[in-house]
Amino acid sequence: EVQLVESGGGLVQPGGSLRLSCAASGFTFSSSAMRWVRQAPGKGLEWVSTIWSGTGSTNYADSVKGRFTISRDNAKNTLYLQMSRLKPEDTAVYYCNHPSTGTKGQGTQVTVSS
């Protein structure tokens, strides 16, 4: 069974930084593309970033490009999202997602507010 557990969210001031983590189990993490998605209050799911297996190449939504960095540690079966220069519009519940199965975790809340 695919399981994803996110952590690292919290309240941060505009311009601040946070690092999200996602612990994965139940599948071959190193062979899997992984994504971060988010859902802002009252809105639908928004894709944030993808990291591919093998080369580890990455893609980002225009809204976060240059501010967020996705990475992975295959030895620890863990996905990360380093978020910098956070803006109020980044406020959302952030989920890691396993595209092959559509599974996502329970999410972690990120609130950017002064």
Side-chain angles (χ1 to χ4, degrees), residues 13-76:
Q13 292 187 341
S17 299
L18 280 176
R19 189 176 82 154
L20 307 183
S21 300
C22 171
S25 62
F27 63 101
T28 306
F29 180 79
S30 60
S31 300
S32 299
M34 295 294 296
R35 298 191 296 204
W36 285 98
V37 298
R38 66 185 181 185
Q39 187 164 24
K43 297 188 177 181
L45 279 174
E46 176 190 17
W47 168 74
V48 174
S49 182
T50 300
I51 185 166
W52 301 94
S53 61
T55 62
S57 59
T58 58
N59 297 97
Y60 297 91
D62 287 343
S63 58
V64 307
K65 199 173 295 183
R67 300 187 298 120
F68 290 11
T69 302
I70 190 172
S71 63
R72 65 195 299 161
D73 186 335
N74 290 334
K76 295 183 178 180

Side-chain angles (χ1 to χ4, degrees), residues 7-12 18-20 38-41 68 81 83 86-94 107-113:
S7 61
L11 173 64
V12 62
L18 280 176
R19 189 176 82 154
L20 307 183
R38 66 185 181 185
Q39 187 164 24
F68 290 11
L81 186 68
M83 306 186 295
L86 282 160
K87 305 175 181 180
E89 51 263 44
D90 294 318
T91 295
V93 179
Y94 284 73
T108 186
Q109 176 71 49
V110 172
T111 302
V112 185
S113 175

